[in-house]
Amino acid sequence: MKPLQCPRCTSNDITKGGYNILASGQKVKRYHCQSCKRSFQLKSYARVAQPADTNCIYCGSSWTVKGGKPRSCLQGQTQPCLCKKCGKHFTKNSLRKAAPPADARCSHCGSNHTVKWGQPRPRQYGEAQTCFCRDCGRQFTKDRKKPLRLYFNGQLIYSFTQPPGFKYLQGWPCPNCGQEKVLQGRQYYNKLKQKNITEKVCLGCGQKSTIDKKSWDANTKRLLGKEIPIRSWNFEDDKWDLRELYPNFDIDKTDQIFIYFRSCGDDWFKNLLKHYALDFIKQGASSRTLKTIFSHLCMFGRFLQKIKASQMSDVTREVMNIYWGKERSHLSTLTLTTNQTTLRLFLEWGNSEHYFSTCSNLISALFDSPKVFHNEPDPLEDSVLQAIRDNIHYLPEPLQLQFMLGAWLGARPGELCRLKKNCIVQEPDSWWLEFERDKTNDEHKLPLPQDLIRIIVRQQQYIVELFGDDYPYLFCHYQNIGPTGFPHYPKLKPIKRPPMTAARINPMVKAVRHLIEHYDIRDSNDNLAHFTGAILRPTRASELIANDYSLEFVRIWLKHRHQTTTRRSYTRYPPGEMLDVATVMANIDAKLYPYDTNPEALRRNLEDLRQYPDMHELDGLVMTNGEPLYGYCLYREFCPRFGYCYTCPSHVASADKLPAYKAQLARIKANEALAFKYWSGELLESYQKTASALEGIVSTLESGSESYETQG
């Protein structure tokens, strides 16, 4: 027998070791070489694998062997086995059953030799069964639904599954185009509305909607800018068209053009409410006020139906206590007061017109009405407003302009949405914007900076290209403004109607909210900033007050009837903190500047202005660019050019302030050079006008001229 040699150094100095058992079950002997000090193995004999005497649970083959020693488990002794055909391990005598046939063709190789793999799993369209192919050894899903994608004008608008695939809805006209090519989309349950929702897609125009069939006529058509046929008025009908009741009804100024009496209680109260609505309209009340009182009285009518009252004489003081204490206890103080006032006026009308007779103390204005506290406004903080302005350029330009105009004008959301296309007016030395106010239906005019003028002109051209010259508004409504499309909104769809006023669907508000979330703009409390269209009005007022404009200036800018409204609603300062500025600008204390105190060089010029013996002193105030003001002002009313006083014909210079004028002229010329270097158009124009006017003032005072004219 040939002596054993080391396979590395061919040495015969070999010593024996133990045995190693391979994973396949073979047994090998281990040796050690004394010369090279290394170990090696030699196969001694192969342990023959014992038959498992069972079929493979995967492929069903009988070519199986034992894969190791028996193991103990909770079910008893189990034997690991190996299938020589598919190469998979399994356990003999376990509780696992053999896989049942799947009765499905493999999606990879097309074989019918398949079995089920695991339990079915729930999906939106049913149960999904995972299967295993015994031929190719790959998994697949039985009856898997294939996606069917729907395109319109080259863009994906919806994705279906097969089955059920495309399913037409018979008798469902599209609210956008009127064609009966509506497909049924996915169905789901809305927890908020507590009902099943069905998505619908129109093949004619690509419009998607979740509106039920009964609501497709009015609200959806208005949202899409479609005209709604006028419904003839009949007193007995439970649906009244306000356009029939109001001759000059503006459909774009209200969210509701129909009032419905079907949910206002029993027929006797419904009849009273109809008579009251007609008398209310005859008195000249607006449609918005009618909508408010109608909603309050409908709630009261449903309450009377609930307690089974058959006439107004059944309403007692105890009934009213139940109504205020239980039914309306969730209302805020201000809403509850409005509700009580509405009901009190309704009772007074019914008793005076002899429609019914009730007790005189049902509602006591002295004891029942809660105390109303007017909360201070909560404008945007300076840091939040600045952060929005720094990133607003990422949004589409029409939405940028709408935000910038709202922040500059301080207009209400409805006034901003319904700006006319020809709203700007040019005067010899300034630009103005005219718009119609919501509350008093009158025109309001405010000055505009040059930068906004250029953007407004581009917006006018954009609107004409979209809808032609017949469309009267500066802005339009948009659809498909979702968070996933920020900031460019590739599926943005313009609608031929002014933007919706409500914050939840207003395009500008939605886009700014996406901007706040995307750039994580937070307030001083580290909360995500909250933005609405209405918040721009108090923000603008607070901004003007913080820049030392008087309360009278802010009152006329916002067009309040009384300065008390401005002070109560838009100031956060103690009563005496702004006294100096308000006194100088609004002349609250009637402070007079006698004629003989005017500079000697200007007295002859003032001979023609004796009708203005009292003047405002400008010392202590600052211009919009931060420079101090010197001199006097002859203007007695609202001044839209405050901050540019040197360019105004009503400005009167002070001769003793000549050194201050010179120093100021040097600073402004330096700032003018910086503005030219960095090309800030509006700022450069402002510095140029102010510097030109100051040069005239300095020249006149130095030469001792008896009069001068300020350059505007």
Side-chain angles (χ1 to χ4, degrees):
M1 184 177 181
K2 185 178 179 180
L4 188 63
Q5 293 181 350
C6 177
R8 296 181 178 86
C9 63
T10 65
S11 173
N12 294 328
D13 191 4
I14 304 298
T15 59
K16 294 181 180 181
Y19 290 92
N20 286 343
I21 299 178
L22 302 180
S24 61
Q26 293 180 336
K27 190 175 183 181
V28 296
K29 186 178 291 187
R30 187 172 62 251
Y31 297 91
H32 184 74
C33 177
Q34 297 296 332
S35 298
C36 61
K37 306 297 182 183
R38 303 180 71 176
S39 299
F40 60 95
Q41 297 177 349
L42 287 179
K43 187 183 298 185
S44 58
Y45 64 93
R47 187 176 61 182
V48 180
Q50 300 296 321
D53 298 331
T54 184
N55 294 333
C56 176
I57 63 174
Y58 301 108
C59 63
S61 173
S62 59
W63 189 17
T64 57
V65 294
K66 295 180 180 179
K69 296 181 179 180
R71 303 172 186 171
S72 299
C73 61
L74 295 176
Q75 294 81 15
Q77 292 287 333
T78 59
Q79 175 64 55
C81 300
L82 173 67
C83 178
K84 291 292 187 178
K85 182 178 181 181
C86 64
K88 291 185 175 293
H89 293 270
F90 63 96
T91 304
K92 180 183 177 182
N93 299 331
S94 65
L95 296 180
R96 184 172 181 177
K97 299 180 180 179
D103 298 331
R105 185 181 295 274
C106 176
S107 60
H108 304 289
C109 65
S111 172
N112 290 324
H113 199 201
T114 57
V115 294
K116 295 181 179 179
W117 189 261
Q119 299 295 326
R121 290 172 291 178
R123 289 292 183 267
Q124 292 182 353
Y125 51 81
E127 292 185 344
Q129 175 64 60
T130 303
C131 303
F132 176 78
C133 178
R134 289 178 172 176
D135 290 339
C136 65
R138 302 175 69 180
Q139 296 181 1
F140 64 95
T141 303
K142 181 181 179 181
D143 298 331
R144 184 176 182 178
K145 298 193 176 183
K146 299 180 181 179
L148 298 177
R149 294 177 175 85
L150 183 62
Y151 291 86
F152 184 80
N153 292 337
Q155 292 186 353
L156 178 66
I157 61 174
Y158 208 80
S159 178
F160 296 83
T161 55
Q162 177 69 33
F166 302 119
K167 179 181 178 182
Y168 281 94
L169 296 176
Q170 300 296 331
W172 287 72
C174 174
N176 185 33
C177 63
Q179 303 181 64
E180 293 191 4
K181 296 181 180 180
V182 180
L183 298 178
Q184 177 180 328
R186 69 184 184 96
Q187 296 178 337
Y188 61 92
Y189 182 77
N190 190 313
K191 293 183 179 180
L192 183 62
K193 297 181 179 180
Q194 295 185 354
K195 65 177 183 178
N196 293 320
I197 302 296
T198 302
E199 292 184 348
K200 306 169 184 67
V201 186
C202 178
L203 292 179
C205 61
Q207 179 68 38
K208 293 182 292 185
S209 176
T210 58
I211 308 298
D212 293 335
K213 181 180 179 181
K214 62 181 181 181
S215 304
W216 277 37
D217 293 334
N219 293 336
T220 305
K221 285 188 176 181
R222 290 197 62 204
L223 187 64
L224 297 173
K226 301 299 179 181
E227 294 184 2
I228 303 174
I230 297 179
R231 180 186 178 91
S232 60
W233 177 80
N234 188 357
F235 182 84
E236 302 298 332
D237 291 342
D238 287 345
K239 181 180 179 180
W240 286 7
D241 193 334
L242 295 179
R243 293 169 294 180
E244 286 284 292
L245 302 175
Y246 287 91
N248 299 322
F249 186 81
D250 192 347
I251 191 174
D252 295 319
K253 284 190 175 182
T254 179
D255 296 333
Q256 183 175 350
I257 61 176
F258 296 102
I259 53 177
Y260 302 90
F261 292 91
R262 57 175 176 264
S263 60
C264 297
D266 293 328
D267 292 338
W268 66 269
F269 185 82
K270 188 187 305 181
N271 188 59
L272 287 175
L273 188 55
K274 289 181 179 180
H275 284 288
Y276 183 60
L278 288 179
D279 288 353
F280 201 78
I281 295 173
K282 292 178 181 179
Q283 295 174 9
S286 64
S287 60
R288 182 178 300 177
T289 308
L290 175 63
K291 175 185 174 182
T292 302
I293 67 166
F294 183 78
S295 62
H296 292 321
L297 293 177
C298 278
M299 297 175 188
F300 184 66
R302 290 194 291 269
F303 169 72
L304 296 182
Q305 185 182 32
K306 181 179 178 181
I307 64 173
K308 299 181 180 180
S310 59
Q311 54 187 354
M312 287 300 297
S313 58
D314 295 340
V315 181
T316 61
R317 181 71 178 174
E318 289 75 19
V319 172
M320 298 305 300
N321 290 336
I322 296 174
Y323 183 64
W324 302 128
K326 293 183 179 180
E327 297 291 331
R328 314 302 292 158
S329 59
H330 63 283
L331 298 180
S332 64
T333 302
L334 184 60
T335 307
L336 182 60
T337 303
T338 306
N339 202 329
Q340 288 183 347
T341 304
T342 301
L343 188 53
R344 178 169 53 83
L345 295 176
F346 173 72
L347 295 176
E348 292 176 356
W349 166 83
N351 287 303
S352 62
E353 299 294 333
H354 305 290
Y355 281 99
F356 53 79
S357 177
T358 59
C359 181
S360 60
N361 65 346
L362 282 180
I363 300 178
S364 174
L366 180 61
F367 299 104
D368 292 340
S369 299
K371 179 67 176 178
V372 178
F373 297 94
H374 295 277
N375 298 325
E376 294 181 345
D378 190 16
L380 290 174
E381 297 179 0
D382 294 341
S383 59
V384 174
L385 183 61
Q386 187 60 41
I388 295 176
R389 284 173 171 168
D390 291 342
N391 298 285
I392 196 69
H393 61 276
Y394 291 110
L395 301 180
E397 189 168 287
L399 304 182
Q400 295 182 39
L401 177 60
Q402 192 173 352
F403 173 83
M404 289 187 290
L405 282 178
W408 173 260
L409 301 175
R412 299 178 180 89
E415 299 168 353
L416 186 63
C417 292
R418 292 187 295 273
L419 277 176
K420 298 296 183 180
K421 186 169 54 180
N422 54 350
C423 58
I424 53 177
V425 178
Q426 183 180 8
E427 294 187 356
D429 56 348
S430 60
W431 289 83
W432 296 75
L433 185 140
E434 291 182 343
F435 61 95
E436 185 177 350
R437 300 177 70 245
D438 274 347
K439 288 195 172 182
T440 55
N441 292 323
D442 61 347
E443 294 291 335
H444 193 29
K445 186 170 72 170
L446 291 174
L448 278 179
Q450 292 291 333
D451 289 347
L452 285 180
I453 294 296
R454 290 189 286 269
I455 305 178
I456 290 176
V457 172
R458 289 202 298 267
Q459 176 67 14
Q460 291 173 338
Q461 298 172 354
Y462 165 76
I463 286 294
V464 171
E465 292 175 359
L466 276 180
F467 307 122
D469 295 329
D470 297 336
Y471 184 71
Y473 299 103
L474 182 64
F475 299 107
C476 67
H477 190 67
Y478 289 100
Q479 288 186 338
N480 301 330
I481 299 183
T484 56
F486 177 85
H488 303 296
Y489 301 109
K491 297 182 180 180
L492 195 68
K493 181 179 180 181
I495 303 298
K496 191 177 180 180
R497 60 147 297 139
M500 302 296 285
T501 305
R504 59 184 176 82
I505 53 178
N506 183 267
M508 182 268 292
V509 175
K510 293 170 65 176
V512 173
R513 287 179 175 177
H514 297 159
L515 184 145
I516 291 174
E517 294 177 1
H518 183 79
Y519 291 101
D520 196 28
I521 301 176
R522 298 183 175 272
D523 56 20
S524 56
N525 296 323
D526 199 30
N527 296 325
L528 206 63
H530 179 65
F531 178 79
T532 62
I535 205 173
L536 292 175
R537 185 169 174 83
T539 301
R540 179 57 174 166
S542 301
E543 187 178 32
L544 290 173
I545 293 173
N547 290 332
D548 293 337
Y549 286 89
S550 68
L551 289 179
E552 182 67 11
F553 182 93
V554 179
R555 181 194 73 80
I556 301 178
W557 186 281
L558 301 179
K559 206 164 187 180
H560 290 150
R561 293 182 180 178
H562 307 287
Q563 193 181 107
T564 307
T565 304
T566 310
R567 184 183 298 275
R568 180 192 65 201
S569 302
Y570 296 105
T571 61
R572 291 178 175 270
Y573 306 97
E577 184 173 329
M578 296 191 61
L579 183 60
D580 295 336
V581 176
T583 299
V584 174
M585 290 303 298
N587 201 17
I588 291 178
D589 62 347
K591 182 178 180 180
L592 300 179
Y593 296 90
Y595 173 76
D596 55 3
T597 61
N598 292 324
E600 180 66 26
L602 303 175
R603 289 186 185 179
R604 292 189 182 91
N605 187 47
L606 294 176
E607 291 292 340
D608 298 333
L609 301 174
R610 290 185 179 275
Q611 66 270 28
Y612 302 106
D614 51 340
M615 299 185 298
H616 297 297
E617 184 180 11
L618 299 177
D619 292 6
L621 302 180
V622 295
M623 291 186 282
T624 54
N625 56 16
E627 286 290 330
L629 280 170
Y630 303 107
Y632 303 91
C633 179
L634 300 173
Y635 202 64
R636 305 299 305 155
E637 299 178 0
F638 168 57
C639 179
R641 301 181 63 184
F642 173 71
Y644 302 92
C645 298
Y646 293 154
T647 65
C648 179
S650 298
H651 175 260
V652 178
S654 300
D656 56 343
K657 291 294 192 299
L658 180 59
Y661 286 134
K662 289 183 177 180
Q664 196 172 44
L665 179 60
R667 291 195 301 269
I668 289 180
K669 285 189 174 181
N671 291 333
E672 180 184 349
L674 290 175
F676 179 79
K677 179 180 178 180
Y678 294 102
W679 193 245
S680 177
E682 182 183 353
L683 196 59
L684 176 62
E685 184 180 357
S686 171
Y687 282 135
Q688 288 175 343
K689 289 184 178 181
T690 306
S692 177
L694 272 174
E695 288 175 351
I697 293 174
V698 171
S699 174
T700 302
L701 293 179
E702 285 182 338
S703 62
S705 178
E706 297 179 352
S707 64
Y708 73 93
E709 293 183 359
T710 306
Q711 298 179 9

